[in-house]
Amino acid sequence: MSSRIHPSAIIEDGAQIGADVEIGPFCIVGPHVSLDDGVRLHSHVVLTGRTEVGAGTEIHPFAVIGGIPQDLKFKGEETRLVIGARNRIREHVTMNTGTDGGGGVTRVGDDGLFMAGCHVAHDVQIGNRVIVVNNAALAGHCIIADDVIIGGLSGVHQFVRIGQGAIIGAVTMVTNDVIPYGLVQAPRGVLDGLNLVGLKRRGVPRTDITALRAAFQMLAQGEGAFQDRARRLGEETQSDYVRQIVDFVTGGSDRSFLTPG
């Protein structure tokens, strides 16, 4: 099926437009932008930079996607923004390309929901099925794993990792890594338990939820240094979910817990 492009839209030479793409009034698509099949741009969307948008993604008015990093160290180097399939990007969302110092690529997975006014900074790596609620901001180099929810008006400090299935409450400032399935809330981001609602919605077996509860208590209140508690927990657990937390804690600040690709 051919694409539908409003006559007022500006599509610069070099842009790659897939099949069945819809580009609404007054959109601007830059020369290094690639839109996969079925992408829909509502009116007044700006797509710039070396930006790839995956199939079926929908972008709402006044979003600016692929702008240069808000980083004083950025000197105009060629970096990218790669957005996966079936994302919903709402009004006034901003997503920046990467920097040389951060690997050169800002990456967003599949099936995410980015609500109005939220910001994804340079070199952020986001997994699949992530929800970022209105006016939340992810600073540079953050790593957000699959199935994370970031509450409205929250901020995530640069270089912070948030593990799979974690939830951040509204109006929270997150300055430290968050374990998989963790619940963080309060103005200065206190780890306050597990995302039990999310675990139950995903159909996690009761035995694993019980194991996760026990693991959280051991990590929060057990004897010895935190890393030692995590290693001891890894030696004792039979739960893959608990093992995921252990690997997150003991694995360092890398990106290995993100879904491959």
Side-chain angles (χ1 to χ4, degrees):
M1 185 180 296
S2 61
S3 296
R4 301 175 300 284
I5 300 175
H6 194 275
S8 66
I10 298 174
I11 313 299
E12 298 192 43
D13 291 343
Q16 300 180 33
I17 309 298
D20 194 28
V21 170
E22 181 177 342
I23 300 177
F26 305 107
C27 291
I28 299 175
V29 179
H32 305 297
V33 171
S34 172
L35 305 181
D36 210 338
D37 297 347
V39 168
R40 182 184 180 192
L41 310 182
H42 293 257
S43 69
H44 299 86
V45 174
V46 175
L47 280 165
T48 186
R50 296 183 179 276
T51 297
E52 304 170 25
V53 181
T57 288
E58 183 175 4
I59 307 178
H60 288 253
F62 305 106
V64 180
I65 308 300
I68 64 172
Q70 299 178 81
D71 184 343
L72 293 175
K73 298 185 297 298
F74 181 73
K75 303 302 181 184
E77 56 266 27
E78 291 185 357
T79 56
R80 296 187 297 145
L81 168 64
V82 178
I83 299 172
R86 299 176 303 279
N87 287 286
R88 288 170 286 171
I89 300 173
R90 296 304 304 259
E91 297 83 357
H92 298 280
V93 169
T94 53
M95 295 182 177
N96 295 159
T97 56
T99 64
D100 273 354
V105 181
T106 304
R107 193 178 302 275
V108 176
D110 300 334
D111 300 300
L113 171 57
F114 300 86
M115 296 189 191
C118 70
H119 174 62
V120 176
H122 58 87
D123 306 299
V124 169
Q125 307 293 307
I126 298 177
N128 301 319
R129 301 175 300 279
V130 168
I131 299 174
V132 183
V133 182
N134 303 69
N135 298 301
L138 308 180
H141 312 279
C142 290
I143 304 173
I144 313 297
D146 295 348
D147 304 303
V148 167
I149 299 175
I150 309 289
L153 295 167
S154 295
V156 182
H157 194 275
Q158 60 185 0
F159 294 102
V160 161
R161 302 179 302 152
I162 299 182
Q164 180 171 358
I167 184 168
I168 310 301
V171 198
T172 297
M173 181 64 216
V174 183
T175 57
N176 295 304
D177 291 353
V178 179
I179 61 172
Y181 315 110
L183 164 63
V184 170
Q185 55 188 351
R188 296 307 299 179
V190 177
L191 183 62
D192 199 27
L194 297 171
N195 182 13
L196 295 174
V197 172
L199 290 165
K200 291 173 182 177
R201 285 176 176 171
R202 292 180 59 200
V204 174
R206 182 178 297 274
T207 53
D208 283 303
I209 292 177
T210 300
L212 284 166
R213 284 179 180 270
F216 179 81
Q217 290 300 317
M218 180 176 177
L219 289 173
Q221 301 174 1
E223 297 181 356
F226 186 76
Q227 290 279 343
D228 293 336
R229 280 177 264 164
R231 293 189 186 96
R232 195 161 59 248
L233 183 62
E235 294 169 358
E236 298 171 359
T237 187
Q238 301 297 316
S239 169
D240 290 339
Y241 289 89
V242 175
R243 169 60 60 185
Q244 191 175 352
I245 293 177
V246 172
D247 291 345
F248 179 90
V249 172
T250 60
S253 297
D254 57 30
R255 305 179 179 192
S256 61
F257 64 91
L258 283 170
T259 300

